Amino acid sequence: MPDNAGNPMQRAATYPARLTLAAMACADATLDSAKRAGAAHAKVLDLACGPAMISRIVLAAGAASVTTVDANPAMIEAAESLGPVAGLRLDCIDATQQLPYPDCSFDMVWIGDFWQPAMLPEVRRVLRPGGRFVLRWTTALDWIPAADPVFAERVTAAVETGMARWSAQGADGGDTWPSGTLPGLTLADSWADSVEFHAPLPEAVQEYVLRDFACFHGAFARATLGDDDWAKLCDFMDSASPEFALASEHARAAWTFEYRMHVPVA
């Protein structure tokens, strides 16, 4: 059984690297969406940027500059470890607090997989009139282990049950997709992107999904999986096991992202 199966502290320790790998795997879809959002020639603020891979993709979409913000020093360190890139600024700042930027200083504010209502006043303040506020949310992260469809169905059902319980409790203290209107902003566009990988999986996807992401799934599945199924799942999550190699050969992974783009109310 892998040491980090269902262990929040171990998962947190690998989080910057896992985010980087996930962003790399989905770079093409993200690039297309950044272009659709109008990133070209824009001064962009990326809030809760993680290791800033998305920021680099937004720059590749033609942004004039990207200022990234994350409260976690480990995320900023991970971003720095990827090397400097022209137009990218890294700031270790809590995005829920007052931001050290002038009023109307950005053409676009981008947030991925993080939202707290306390952020909204500062988003509105630093966004110029007519600017764009883009929320990117991961709405599905599907992983099907190996070539055993019956087992895969049981794991999927257990994960869905565990995630539903987690969401009902208010995941991460309210870090949820904003379902209502955002005061002072109006919805201008929305779309979805999907990325799917079939075996043999790219190396980055294997690393992310079959080990670290599978452990994240495992934490949700443990409460409702039987002992035998849990032991089997742990084998799939252990990179030293033959089952892990089997999963690498037969697994399928899919990401689905939803985007909502808002503009200031005139």
Side-chain angles (χ1 to χ4, degrees):
M1 179 182 298
D3 292 338
N4 62 334
N7 184 323
M9 295 302 294
Q10 291 291 338
R11 291 199 310 275
T14 65
Y15 197 48
R18 288 189 287 119
L19 283 180
T20 299
L21 288 167
M24 289 170 57
C26 302
D28 289 344
T30 303
L31 180 64
D32 289 343
S33 282
K35 291 178 179 177
R36 173 169 176 168
H41 312 299
K43 293 178 62 178
V44 180
L45 175 63
D46 183 1
L47 295 178
C49 66
M53 274 300 300
I54 300 296
S55 301
R56 291 167 182 262
I57 294 169
V58 171
L59 277 170
S65 64
V66 180
T67 298
T68 69
V69 168
D70 202 287
N72 186 345
M75 295 295 187
I76 300 299
E77 290 172 8
E80 291 173 339
S81 72
L82 297 173
V85 61
L88 182 65
R89 168 178 169 174
L90 304 171
D91 287 340
C92 191
I93 299 169
D94 185 348
T96 65
Q97 304 298 315
Q98 183 174 355
L99 300 172
Y101 312 118
D103 295 354
C104 306
S105 52
F106 294 98
D107 305 304
M108 176 183 292
V109 177
W110 181 290
I111 299 179
D113 287 310
F114 181 84
W115 174 251
Q116 290 191 6
M119 303 167 70
L120 183 58
E122 284 296 280
V123 166
R124 290 172 53 194
R125 183 183 66 79
V126 301
L127 188 65
R128 68 163 176 81
R132 286 141 288 161
F133 173 44
V134 179
L135 277 162
R136 175 186 189 266
W137 210 258
T138 305
T139 55
L141 286 160
D142 299 323
W143 171 67
I144 304 299
D148 186 338
V150 175
F151 173 64
E153 287 178 6
R154 292 198 298 268
V155 171
T156 299
V159 169
E160 289 175 351
T161 299
M163 290 191 75
R165 292 174 180 172
W166 178 68
S167 297
Q169 295 170 356
D172 290 346
D175 175 10
T176 55
W177 175 261
S179 57
T181 59
L182 299 177
L185 298 172
T186 184
L187 183 64
D189 195 6
S190 62
W191 65 94
D193 274 337
S194 295
V195 182
E196 187 165 334
F197 303 94
H198 295 270
L201 299 178
E203 184 176 352
V205 178
Q206 289 186 37
E207 181 76 12
Y208 182 76
V209 178
L210 295 178
R211 185 169 67 198
D212 296 313
F213 176 59
C215 291
F216 181 68
H217 261 185
F220 293 122
R222 182 65 187 103
T224 52
L225 274 183
D227 289 343
D228 288 345
D229 278 344
W230 172 247
K232 186 174 182 178
L233 181 61
C234 285
D235 284 336
F236 284 126
M237 295 189 293
D238 184 353
S239 59
S241 74
E243 287 80 4
F244 182 91
L246 178 66
S248 300
E249 295 174 4
H250 296 284
R252 177 186 68 82
W255 279 267
T256 301
F257 310 105
E258 288 189 10
Y259 291 81
R260 294 181 188 173
M261 185 166 67
H262 299 74
V263 296
V265 173

